[in-house]
Amino acid sequence: MRVPKIVVVGGGWGGCAAAAAARKAGAEVILLERADMLLGTGLVGGIFRNNGRFTAAEEMLEMGADIFSVMDNCVTHTNVEFPGHKHASLYNVYRIEPAVKEYLMKLGVKIFTTARVIDVAKEGRKVSCVVVEGLEPIQADAFVDATGTSAVPANCTKYGNGCAMCILRCHSFGPRISITTKVGVEEWIGKKPDGSSIGAMSGSCKLCKDSIDPQIVKELEEKGSALVPVPLEVREEEKLLSMKACQQYALEEFIENLVLLDTGPVKLMTPFFPLERLRKVPGMERARYEDPIAGGKGNSMRYFGFANCTPELQAIGPVDNLFCAGEKAGAMVGHTEAIVSGTLAGHNAVRQVIGEKLLRFPDEIAVGDFVNHVIGEMKKEEGRQYKYTFSGSIYFKRMKEKNLYTTDVKVIKERVKKAGLKSIFDTKLL
Ligand SMILES: Cc1cc2nc3c(=O)[nH]c(=O)nc-3n(C[C@H](O)[C@H](O)[C@H](O)COP(=O)(O)OP(=O)(O)OC[C@H]3O[C@@H](n4cnc5c(N)ncnc54)[C@H](O)[C@@H]3O)c2cc1C
């Protein structure tokens, strides 16, 4: 049988996971990333294994998605607690990208950075090739859209506080272009039902370690997290609660304190905080933003452009050979969540090409309930006003109600075995 060729567009966690899964299933894989580094928003994140993300990561590892081991190998801290969150691991945001790149290269994924896809061509019900800025068009048998839902400065200007100069660096590498839009797949924007808020602002910033009180840095490096009380006059409750993208952090403790985490730099768990006010918080008198550089003013706006797709993550529309990964597949927030959908999308892209039945995760495993539930919710106007994550808010509640949350690795392994999915992503399909 001819080796299927899969092109993955977008090198965030969703795209990297899709590329790894397609390659492990036996395909030739090309990964195209618009910027000069992989990982997209994952370049500034770092939190994983918190709350239900622990269960999800262990299920995926048991199924063969060992990209989670790359994260585990780059941690600054494990078992970190912060308000509303237990047993978090934090990866070092400086070490993670080269590690993921090396992992993908070892698998044999061909990676092109500064390779922005600007158009696609179709033949009948198939995407035949993608047009890449400065390169020859690239043909493939199936494609994965993992372009995310941010990186459009016009959205940051219209719906946020303007470009805050974040890691996505749109002005240097060009804005996101969605493959699903290009081929005419229906897309949705996350918004409140009354339309009062469109998209959502990203929920954390990075501060330079050298710019904050060494005592706070010491605590951070020892424990992984630190709470720094915010004086009453500095609090901005209204703004924080209404603008949060990450509903799992919309808690009182996040208003009364600066919640800081050590991910290499200092992760400040708030979308933005005016610098003058931040410097009134004891210990932060000389604070300086590392990302976004204008973190005193705003942050990236996300959740524009979820594509209509099936629970197998196949795009629904005029083509059959296009799959969706990461935030593109729905309002799923997080690295873990993007790896879950990315792995499934990449694996199913190969199945589609070789004519095998697409894999649908069963509801009996946490990642299955998550993907199937969120994809269902995306079809409803009211479902699109929420964000879904294993780590908190409405989905973590559902996960607990359904008895899917556990930190008992033995139980997780048994669950995956019972579903017949052990090592499924480590097995060649041809
Ligand atoms: C500031 C911030 C902090 C966060 N912190 C955490 C955290 O601590 N823990 C956590 O779990 N989650 C966190 N998140 C959320 C998490 O990063 C995302 O939900 C998840 O990583 C999304 O992955 P993705 O692959 O879907 O999209 P993205 O990360 O957006 O990646 C999409 C990629 O596609 C590329 N691309 C777009 N268009 C094109 C094109 N036309 N051609 C080629 N490439 C293209 C982009 O450059 C980008 O690299 C954070 C997000 C932000 C913004």
Side-chain angles (χ1 to χ4, degrees):
M1 186 188 285
R2 188 173 69 80
V3 175
K5 184 172 171 188
I6 310 293
V7 162
V8 179
V9 184
W13 276 117
C16 289
R23 183 73 192 137
K24 283 175 158 214
E28 177 192 345
V29 181
I30 292 182
L31 175 61
L32 302 169
E33 166 53 44
R34 157 193 88 88
D36 58 358
M37 285 188 278
L38 297 177
L39 288 193
T41 58
L43 284 165
V44 291
I47 310 170
F48 67 111
R49 289 188 175 272
N50 48 327
N51 296 346
R53 284 176 179 158
F54 183 96
T55 317
E58 288 296 333
E59 283 185 359
M60 293 301 288
L61 277 164
E62 193 59 12
M63 285 189 268
D66 59 355
I67 195 163
F68 278 105
S69 309
V70 185
M71 273 187 176
D72 283 327
N73 290 336
C74 288
V75 292
T76 54
H77 301 273
T78 55
N79 239 336
V80 177
E81 296 218 358
F82 58 99
H85 295 258
K86 286 194 169 25
H87 50 74
S89 289
L90 307 175
Y91 66 66
N92 182 303
V93 296
Y94 304 129
R95 281 173 35 211
I96 190 75
E97 193 266 350
V100 172
K101 197 167 187 183
E102 195 184 314
Y103 162 80
L104 292 175
M105 279 163 48
K106 269 198 190 140
L107 283 180
V109 173
K110 292 181 190 132
I111 303 170
F112 292 83
T113 48
T114 57
R116 179 168 171 257
V117 173
I118 49 173
D119 210 349
V120 298
K122 277 195 305 180
E123 272 170 27
R125 287 194 56 86
K126 282 192 169 175
V127 178
S128 55
C129 72
V130 288
V131 180
V132 188
E133 236 167 16
L135 293 177
E136 291 294 312
I138 302 177
Q139 294 185 327
D141 300 303
F143 297 78
V144 179
D145 184 339
T147 54
T149 60
S150 53
V152 178
N155 287 337
C156 296
T157 303
K158 190 164 175 194
Y159 304 109
N161 294 348
C163 171
M165 296 197 276
C166 75
I167 193 72
L168 295 167
R169 297 164 296 158
C170 307
H171 301 286
S172 305
F173 297 108
R176 165 174 63 87
I177 289 180
S178 159
I179 309 311
T180 46
T181 318
K182 285 277 173 194
V183 298
V185 170
E186 186 181 8
E187 278 197 4
W188 302 298
I189 295 175
K191 62 178 170 195
K192 297 229 170 90
D194 61 359
S196 62
S197 141
I198 293 187
M201 194 176 275
S202 297
S204 70
C205 313
K206 296 278 184 275
L207 298 167
C208 306
K209 253 185 193 168
D210 284 351
S211 74
I212 69 171
D213 185 340
Q215 271 312 109
I216 300 176
V217 174
K218 188 164 175 277
E219 185 182 344
L220 270 172
E221 290 184 342
E222 278 168 12
K223 294 199 324 209
S225 66
L227 295 190
V228 179
V230 177
L232 266 179
E233 63 277 14
V234 183
R235 288 179 201 168
E236 283 195 294
E237 308 193 6
E238 184 61 39
K239 191 179 285 176
L240 292 180
L241 279 177
S242 63
M243 297 197 82
K244 274 280 188 192
C246 305
Q247 286 156 354
Q248 72 270 31
Y249 305 129
L251 306 170
E252 281 300 308
E253 289 96 323
F254 287 80
I255 294 162
E256 291 161 5
N257 303 284
L258 298 179
V259 179
L260 305 179
L261 301 173
D262 178 22
T263 57
V266 177
K267 185 170 169 95
L268 167 62
M269 300 299 291
T270 187
F272 66 96
F273 205 114
L275 188 62
E276 264 186 37
R277 273 202 282 275
L278 181 64
R279 287 181 169 183
K280 288 184 184 142
V281 177
M284 311 301 285
E285 294 81 356
R286 284 171 289 279
R288 178 163 162 177
Y289 284 99
E290 179 174 305
D291 183 89
I293 299 177
K297 189 176 170 228
N299 209 323
S300 51
M301 293 298 292
R302 313 213 309 279
Y303 300 105
F304 299 90
F306 315 122
N308 190 6
C309 61
T310 67
E312 293 83 4
L313 304 182
Q314 186 175 27
I316 299 172
V319 291
D320 298 323
N321 63 341
L322 180 61
F323 290 79
C324 303
E327 289 181 4
K328 174 56 61 186
M332 313 184 208
V333 187
H335 312 328
T336 304
E337 292 75 0
I339 294 175
V340 167
S341 63
T343 303
L344 184 61
H347 181 84
N348 272 340
V350 181
R351 283 185 179 246
Q352 197 266 345
V353 176
I354 63 173
E356 276 227 10
K357 186 169 184 282
L358 301 185
L359 174 68
R360 180 177 178 160
F361 281 141
D363 289 342
E364 289 70 30
I365 57 174
V367 298
D369 181 68
F370 179 74
V371 172
N372 301 336
H373 175 67
V374 178
I375 295 300
E377 289 304 295
M378 290 301 98
K379 313 281 189 252
K380 309 173 203 158
E381 180 97 39
E382 67 275 16
R384 298 197 286 268
Q385 67 182 290
Y386 299 106
K387 315 286 178 305
Y388 302 83
T389 161
F390 299 105
S391 72
S393 189
I394 51 169
Y395 186 74
F396 187 41
K397 188 166 170 269
R398 175 183 164 97
M399 197 176 172
K400 286 186 284 192
E401 283 164 4
K402 292 194 156 279
N403 244 338
L404 289 167
Y405 167 57
T406 173
T407 54
D408 186 333
V409 176
K410 244 174 86 183
V411 170
I412 296 169
K413 284 182 192 248
E414 195 48 46
R415 196 188 268 173
V416 170
K417 191 172 158 205
K418 205 168 155 203
L421 294 176
K422 187 170 163 45
S423 303
I424 180 103
F425 298 123
D426 237 348
T427 311
K428 279 205 170 21
L429 292 169
L430 65 156

